[in-house]
Amino acid sequence: METSPAVVGSRPRPAPVPPSASPSEARAAFKDSAGAVLGFVPLGLAFGALAIQSGLDWWWAGLSAALAFGGSFEFLLIGMVTAAAPPAAIALSAFMVNVRHVFYALSFPLHRVTGRLGKTYATFALCDEAYALTTGKQARTWSSRRILWLQFFLHLCWASSAIAGALLGSLIPDGVTGLEFALTAMFAVLALDAVRDLRGDLPTPALALLSALAARLLLPGQMLLAAFTLFTAALLARHLTTGRNPTHA
């Protein structure tokens, strides 16, 4: 039996087109975090294996990864815990290693995260990878749920990789090479994406490179902190200069 479309006057009325199904916020955030997760896995495995080799229990690696979530600081924490370092020294070391997060907070889109609980978790789970992914051009329209899901996936991957490394680290052959470069390669890709989002603002990468070189020459033992300090001072000086001379803004 054939049916004819509804007719208004002499023109047929087209059938309504169903709206296209968009992926959920969690699925989109999972795709966004996939590249960073690939960098987290080998580093988390190495962290868990190192915790076991240092005489700590397997659950310590997972608990540290879930509660501290400090990346490079957690590797330092293993040695401090096994050496029974005083809490004040641990707290000072945590501040020195993670002081870069103070600079991240200046541009991290916390204002787009809704709810007090959401803002608290977003602040706690802020890491280098989450900052790089959420401050890019493509992330300017991300919702609160997408940002939180992204941070949750990164947090979950790091903790689960640490546990897996603690449980299975002894099975990883000693001759495996290249795993230590996974995170460096991921940061290189994130840096390239950030440079592309600058829309031709070449002075910013140049200032970052000069700050790193100066820190390497002047304070090689505190290169990270020195580089961030010099880079921040350079950005402030540029802002004051361009603010007073609008023609160069």
Side-chain angles (χ1 to χ4, degrees):
M1 178 178 176
E2 296 183 357
T3 59
S4 58
V7 177
V8 178
S10 60
R11 300 178 59 184
R13 180 173 26 175
V17 179
S20 58
S22 58
S24 66
E25 300 287 1
R27 186 181 304 175
F30 181 79
K31 293 180 179 179
D32 298 328
S33 65
V37 164
L38 293 177
F40 268 22
V41 170
L43 195 65
L45 293 175
F47 171 71
L50 179 61
I52 292 297
Q53 294 172 4
S54 300
L56 301 174
D57 293 327
W58 68 269
W59 54 264
W60 190 94
L63 187 64
S64 171
L67 297 181
F69 196 42
S72 56
F73 169 70
E74 293 179 48
F75 284 89
L76 178 62
L77 183 62
I78 292 177
M80 300 187 75
V81 169
T82 54
I90 295 177
L92 179 60
S93 300
F95 173 77
M96 295 297 293
V97 174
N98 295 322
V99 70
R100 65 189 186 278
H101 290 183
V102 176
F103 302 97
Y104 292 167
L106 299 176
S107 54
F108 180 73
L110 187 63
H111 61 281
R112 297 211 307 266
V113 179
T114 59
R116 182 176 300 178
L117 184 60
K119 290 181 182 295
T120 300
Y121 180 75
T123 303
F124 163 76
L126 177 59
C127 61
D128 303 319
E129 295 76 12
Y131 173 80
L133 292 171
T134 56
T135 55
K137 178 181 177 182
Q138 76 284 352
R140 293 175 183 172
T141 59
W142 287 4
S143 65
S144 172
R145 288 179 176 270
R146 187 165 176 175
I147 294 174
L148 290 174
W149 273 116
L150 172 75
Q151 293 185 271
F152 172 75
F153 286 135
L154 294 177
H155 192 187
L156 178 64
C157 175
W158 175 248
S160 58
S161 297
I163 295 175
L167 295 176
L168 306 174
S170 60
L171 302 179
I172 301 177
D174 295 335
V176 176
T177 60
L179 293 180
E180 70 281 357
F181 187 71
L183 203 65
T184 304
M186 181 193 65
F187 275 119
V189 174
L190 293 176
L192 290 175
D193 290 339
V195 171
R196 290 171 182 169
D197 288 343
L198 292 176
R199 297 181 178 180
D201 185 16
L202 293 179
T204 300
L207 288 176
L209 179 60
L210 291 175
S211 300
L213 292 176
R216 180 67 178 86
L217 294 174
L218 299 176
L219 295 170
Q222 298 291 334
M223 179 180 173
L224 183 61
L225 181 59
F228 267 106
T229 303
L230 292 174
F231 184 53
T232 303
L235 291 178
L236 290 174
R238 187 181 68 174
H239 175 72
L240 293 176
T241 303
T242 55
R244 293 176 181 178
N245 189 1
T247 58
H248 292 82

